[in-house]
Structures are given as C-alpha cells and as structure tokens.
C-alpha cells in the first residue's frame, strides 16, 4: 500500500477503536493520511493507536487520539473544541461511531433516546462544530457511515425519543435515516455510505454472517479520497451510488431535521 494519495490529508474517524472504524483508520493511515482516532474513552483510543503502530506498521506521528462518550453531548462539544484548536484545517470527518439500540428504551442524561443521540445527534453536533475546520479550505468533506436499514426507518417528529412505542430496530433505523438525511445539509459537502453487512457488533441487526470489516472500510476510505468526486447528499451502497430513501432528498425534511436536531442538542439555530 505505497499509494500516498492521502499524504497531506487530515481525517477524523469517530468510533475508530473497533470494527469498520478501526479498519478505516488503518487504511487511511496506510495511504499516508494523518488520522485522528476517536474512542469512547482515552484508553480505548490509545489502545487502537498502539495496535495500529504495532501490527500495521503505522508511524506514530500519523496518529492522534481523542476521547468522547457520545452519550454525553458536553463531551462531544469538548472534543470538537480540541480538534479545531489542534487542527484548524480538517479534510475529512468520518461519522462512523454507532451502537445498536438497546432492547429496553434508554434515555441519555441529555434527555434523548440513546441510539438517536449516539448515532445521529452527536454526529450532527460534531459536524456543526467542526464546520470552520472542514471549510477552511475548499474540498473538505463528511462521510456518514449509514445503513441500508435507513430505508425501513421513519423519523417520529412528535416523539423522536419513541417513548410511546419503542422497538430497538425502529429506533436504530430512525437514527440511520436521520444520519442519511443530514448528508443533504448544504453547510459541508457530505455523503452517506452503507459499507455492506460486515462482521461487527452490528451484525445481529442484519444477519448471521457478513464480510470482513476491512472490506466494508474500503468503501468508506474510497469516499475520503479527493480523487473521488462526490455530490453533496449522495448515498452509496458499497461503491455504487444509488438513490437513498425519499426523505433524504427532500429539502423540507432536511430543514425540519436540522430544526429538531438543534433543539435536541441545545443549539440555537444559526
């Protein structure tokens, strides 16, 4: 992998300590990028960095580690502030961190259904706060790691926390739909990608077997490459660009989602 097309690029990967996020970080670093590894805890992030240096032969100066628990929005704000201060120019943000919705309805300290917050709201907030770094030079982009399950989702506008009727699959699908709709936001060029059904912690939501996280990560990494032209709001199933769910192409839905997200993360609409 001597392809160094990414040697001058700085990329932040959320959820980079396992699965597709870890493999995405590895492949980006192997191609020369400086990779900011986000983990839920500092220990997790450092362990991932150490493993990349030890097993993939990545140079230590290509990696930086950051921690934030996305179930706490104040930690997301702190993360964003630190990243912008240390990297005023960021080429790519990979919004990958995610969780399967729990069996039981669970609400965070911020008052949001946990899968909606971890999979979508935290990434919404992070992307908004990193906008100055992502747009400091032309060409900055956001890659949302979404899911084909977004097609089965619906956003419960009057009850996004799904307190009245909770199902873990519906909660997960709603979070993935929101992430996919958010890619059509005009502030920063963004795309969504379903990396395929991979053998990660999410696998039980889909089936019994999947391809390797490395195969899934390759589809994410491709979209981080400036040589690959992207269109804002585009949705990819692995490496094929296809139409997302209808909601993700409606301006009205994008605006409505931004309004809801601003409310839930405590941001006054700019």
């Amino acid at each position: 992998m001597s392809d160094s097309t990414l040697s001058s690029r700085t990329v932040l990967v959320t959820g980079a300590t396992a699965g597709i996020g870890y493999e995405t970080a590895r492949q980006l670093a192997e191609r020369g990028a400086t990779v900011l590894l986000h983990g839920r805890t500092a220990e997790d992030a450092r362990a991932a960095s150490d493993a990349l240096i030890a097993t993939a032969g990545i140079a230590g100066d290509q990696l930086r580690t950051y921690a934030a628990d996305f179930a706490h929005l104040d930690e997301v704000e702190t993360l964003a502030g630190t990243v912008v201060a240390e990297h005023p120019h960021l080429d790519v943000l990979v919004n990958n961190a995610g969780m399967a919705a729990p069996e039981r309805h669970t609400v965070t300290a911020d008052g949001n259904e946990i899968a909606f917050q971890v999979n979508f709201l935290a990434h919404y907030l992070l992307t908004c706060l990193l906008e100055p770094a992502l747009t400091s030079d032309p060409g900055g982009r956001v890659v949302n790691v979404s899911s084909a399950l977004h097609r089965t989702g619906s956003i419960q506008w009057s009850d996004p926390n799904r307190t009245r009727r909770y199902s873990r699959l519906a909660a997960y699908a709603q979070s993935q739909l929101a992430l996919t709709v958010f890619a059509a936001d005009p502030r920063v060029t963004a795309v969504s990608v379903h990396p395929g059904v991979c053998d990660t912690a999410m696998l039980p939501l889909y089936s019994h077997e999947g391809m390797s996280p490395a195969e899934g990560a390759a589809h994410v990494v491709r979209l981080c490459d400036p040589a690959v032209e992207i269109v804002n709001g585009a949705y990819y199933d692995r490496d094929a660009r296809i139409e997302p769910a209808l909601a993700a192409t409606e301006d009205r839905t994008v605006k409505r989602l931004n309004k809801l997200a601003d409310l839930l993360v405590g941001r006054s609409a700019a």
Side-chain angles (χ1 to χ4, degrees), residues 148-226:
L149 284 176
H150 86 274
R151 294 183 189 287
T152 68
S154 64
I155 297 167
Q156 296 293 316
W157 300 106
S158 58
D159 183 25
N161 281 348
R162 295 180 171 266
T163 32
R164 288 195 289 278
R165 269 185 62 211
Y166 178 78
S167 111
R168 65 183 305 221
L169 209 55
Y172 179 76
Q174 171 177 263
S175 71
Q176 298 307 304
L177 176 60
L179 193 62
T180 306
V181 170
F182 178 45
D185 183 289
R187 287 175 283 191
V188 182
T189 302
V191 294
S192 304
V193 57
H194 169 57
V197 176
C198 298
D199 191 2
T200 68
M202 298 295 180
L203 184 63
L205 288 169
Y206 298 93
S207 65
H208 298 298
E209 53 190 270
M211 55 188 183
S212 72
E215 287 173 274
H219 300 299
V220 179
V221 171
R222 189 182 77 87
L223 294 169
C224 296
D225 188 337

Side-chain angles (χ1 to χ4, degrees), residues 124 128 187 255 258-263 265-270:
Y124 175 87
C128 292
R187 287 175 283 191
K255 290 193 176 82
N258 284 348
K259 224 170 164 171
L260 175 68
D262 280 336
L263 182 74
V265 302
R267 270 171 72 81
S268 49

